[in-house]
Amino acid sequence: MTVATPRDLEPQLQQPLQPKGWLRYFSFSVDHKVIGLQYLVCGFFFYLVGGLLAGAIRTELATPLSDFMPRDTYNEVLTLHGTVMIFLWIVPVVNGAFGNYLIPFYVGARDMAFPRLNAVAFWMIPPAGFLLISSYFLAGAAAQSGWTAYPPLSLTTPAAGQVVWILSVLLLGGSSIFGAVNFIATVLKMRRPGLKMMQLPMYCWAMLGTSLLVVLSTPVLAGVLILLSFDIIAHTGFFNPTLGGNVVVYQHLFWFYSHPAVYIMVLPAFGLVSEILPVHARKPLFGYTTMVYSIMGIVFLGLIVWAHHMFTSGTPPWMRLFFTIATSFIAVPTGIKFFNWLATLWGGKIALNSAMLFSCGFILNFVFGGITGITLAQVPFDIHVHDTYYVVGHFHYIVYGGTVFVIFASLYHWYPKFTGRLLNEDLGRLHFLLTFIGFNLCFLPQHWLGLNGMPRRVAEYDPTFTTLNQVSSVGALLMAISTLPLLVNVVVTAFQGKRAGDNPWNALTAEWLTSSPPPVENWKGEAPLVTEPYGYGRAQEPKAPTLEAAR
Amino acid sequence: MRMARAVKIRAAITTALATASLGLTGFLVGTRVNLLPVDASTNAPTYDSLFKVLFSIGTMLFLGISIVLIYSLVRFRRNEGELADGPPLEGNLPLEIVWTAIPAVVILFVGIYSYDIYDRMGGMTPLDHGALHHQHAMDTPSHTMEAKSMEMPSERVWGGIGPAIDTGVASTSSASGAVLPVEVTAMQFAFIFHYPEADITSGELHVPLGQPVELRMKALDVIHAFWVPQFRLKQDVIPGQPTVLSFTATRPGTYPAICAELCGPYHGGMRTSVVVHEVDDYQTWLQQNRPAPSST
């Protein structure tokens, strides 16, 4: 079986759709690497937007009184902050950006399975994002009911803003489904001949699992939001108690997507860390097979734990019990992954560079967030802390301390591949230090605040909580400042950074076996067959094809 | 051969000592460091014991993993210019089984323990005595009218925390063993408490020490949640779905009652007080607030 090049298949497609130079990043490009970087830059833009919104929240909370902005604006800000960070930054970047850039390399393909669908999926994001943000100006008011949009609150807040919010999330959900279909097809069907599933880099497995979750759960979110929009626009009564609707049903359907959404945000991060650690520790990934099984275990368990978000909602006792146990058991496959990463580091030759620092920061933060997660899974524990700052602290440890740390680690790791230049290590370490300190300063005190009586989503609070809230706000300020060395680094390096060469980390996975940045169809010659992506420490044995052989 | 054995024994002793000191640290931190507010209900000490167990286990796990991670970063750090790889270790099945089994056992223990706590809190108690009848009435249409007219006061309760079983403090031996019902109405942005027995309506919740209280909660507009941190209890108040929350106060004082579910612009201001009175003081409060007999 020979590998057909795209040129043979679609000679007429490639040429007109590929503008040259920087312009292609603003075009409907079908090149998976261009699309990956489009996702990354677009996501980072929305990270800054979401960060500004977070800054507004922490400014309001620096004093116990609601004195920085009007109260309904505050609710708009917290709604937008959550929605932007989840749907426009973390999900697109950790799936779309790195998935599109890396998966074709890892399976030995020249592009994704459906390149045009891929471009469509990306180009749904900027309009959806701008629609969401502009709802404040266009509709007169943005959504105010939190990113969860629980009815009846979402039925009683200004309707136009809520409908625009729904439209935007539907678009983003659609984009996510298109992307997931593409990843599943690419991993399962586009593998280079001779490459077996159990030889794939771990990120492929993580993306396969994540995409299964997206395909299984996102349609449920779309369905429930469409019903919610009927309630708002056509005054139906699905979730309107005065018309006989049931508000708790909304919560079930919403969390059927939105709990798996957590794994949609962290599983790809697990995959990326599994790529980064072996390279910088110069050791094979420990326990490949159990890592694969634990991903699939998390996917399965992730689908049957949603009601742990509803322990105080009036769910029957047996349901509370079932979801406590199912949720707790997610700790087992997750624990396996962390022990395997530690074992990967153990005895290695560890380079303490920015990519490694952020990866280790991820391990520390995520373990902490995971432990508080186990506590939250216990119904009696959760009944006290549900909807408090304890929960806010917990999930920021997961999605920021976990996933966003991994995004930064990945940026330092793959930037030389994207651009051919190495990011400055001193600025990188400064970035890590500021982020790590700022992050912990911001979110650690919130656990205590929640335990002692501060509910979430409030613009005002008991004055006894002032000091810790101010500590938290100072942490947020540090996090904002930490963005500066990153921005300077990324921009300056792009023009005058140290040349990286094709494989600066001496890594074995397929994306490093081509030039930096890679050519349009990834390899000049045939795609290399990488059967041992983690074959470190076997200098004498023949390992992956050498750089020269691959060209 | 003997050397290798000595090294092995030393490693085993080091591991055992490290594990023991880690366990001890976790236990001491978990039991000595208090992160919770004052406990003021029968439910709170039960909750706090669960908290201590989880805090101890969590501290052990977090410290253990952090120490291994930081030790690895220091001990196995690559020297400047070193190009060699680490050993090609790809896995170790017994080790994998160990770190799958240990968390599974810990999780199982925590799950069973927290189920026990939840049961003791009253979480598994059937919520309303009318519910079964009501359900039955729905099934047999011929009795519906009759059943409805009879069961009207006890509507279906959709969720909540029932009365705790055998708490010791609020047992039947106590003089004030009877349950004090209070109807709670939540609306944007206040809680209204109504005492059906005394026909008192109040913006604050006043309860006597040691008597079981049952809050029967309804929401008029959007979802709210009733939370008293010092009681370690919270229950959503849901429009269209009445819920209950049972507790017995154990410490006189004034505590915040907070809305914990985003309910609109003034959500942060939706809070009131729970006043726990000594039994005599409570009677005085009842007398003072009893509505004046209508003078028509």
Side-chain angles (χ1 to χ4, degrees), chain A residues 23 233 248 313 359 387 391 405 422 484:
Chain A
L23 211 60
I233 300 167
V248 175
S313 295
S359 303
D387 264 328
V391 176
F405 269 61
L422 285 160
L484 296 178

Side-chain angles (χ1 to χ4, degrees), chain A residues 366-388:
Chain A
F366 197 97
V367 166
F368 188 87
I371 290 169
T372 55
I374 297 291
T375 64
L376 283 167
Q378 313 306 319
V379 195
F381 191 100
D382 182 70
I383 281 173
H384 175 47
V385 292
H386 177 72
D387 264 328
T388 70

Side-chain angles (χ1 to χ4, degrees), chain A residues 286-501:
Chain A
F286 198 88
Y288 180 95
T289 316
T290 44
M291 291 294 246
V292 170
Y293 287 132
S294 60
I295 286 174
M296 291 308 161
I298 293 172
V299 168
F300 172 71
L301 287 172
L303 283 169
I304 54 164
V305 299
W306 75 90
H308 67 221
H309 295 269
M310 304 166 54
F311 282 157
T312 68
S313 295
T315 38
W318 68 265
M319 202 189 263
R320 296 176 174 189
L321 192 65
F322 171 79
F323 283 101
T324 288
I325 289 167
T327 308
S328 302
F329 265 97
I330 287 199
V332 176
T334 313
I336 293 172
K337 300 193 76 72
F338 281 82
F339 292 126
N340 276 323
W341 287 325
L342 289 178
T344 304
L345 292 176
W346 191 268
K349 300 277 181 190
I350 298 169
L352 262 188
N353 51 29
S354 309
M356 179 56 92
L357 285 172
F358 270 109
S359 303
C360 294
F362 150 80
I363 293 180
L364 283 181
N365 295 335
F366 197 97
V367 166
F368 188 87
I371 290 169
T372 55
I374 297 291
T375 64
L376 283 167
Q378 313 306 319
V379 195
F381 191 100
D382 182 70
I383 281 173
H384 175 47
V385 292
H386 177 72
D387 264 328
T388 70
Y389 257 85
Y390 188 90
V391 176
V392 177
H394 157 72
F395 70 70
H396 280 94
Y397 266 81
I398 298 295
V399 290
Y400 195 104
T403 305
V404 178
F405 269 61
V406 172
I407 292 174
F408 290 143
S410 306
L411 195 63
Y412 288 97
H413 183 75
W414 278 290
Y415 191 85
K417 182 48 62 182
F418 299 159
T419 62
R421 291 172 194 269
L422 285 160
L423 284 169
N424 181 294
E425 271 302 315
D426 293 331
L427 280 174
R429 291 194 180 110
L430 177 68
H431 175 213
F432 169 74
L433 214 62
L434 284 173
T435 314
F436 190 74
I437 295 170
F439 167 77
N440 281 290
L441 214 54
C442 184
F443 294 108
L444 191 61
Q446 295 183 353
H447 294 88
W448 189 89
L449 288 171
L451 284 169
N452 284 274
M454 183 168 164
R456 64 190 282 204
R457 293 169 162 176
V458 290
E460 59 209 293
Y461 53 85
D462 191 316
T464 50
F465 299 142
T466 310
T467 315
L468 278 185
N469 269 295
Q470 286 170 347
V471 169
S472 181
S473 293
V474 169
L477 183 65
L478 269 183
M479 288 165 79
I481 294 171
S482 79
T483 319
L484 296 178
L486 173 68
L487 280 173
V488 170
N489 205 350
V490 165
V491 173
V492 173
T493 302
F495 296 104
Q496 40 183 291
K498 199 169 116 194
R499 296 259 172 211

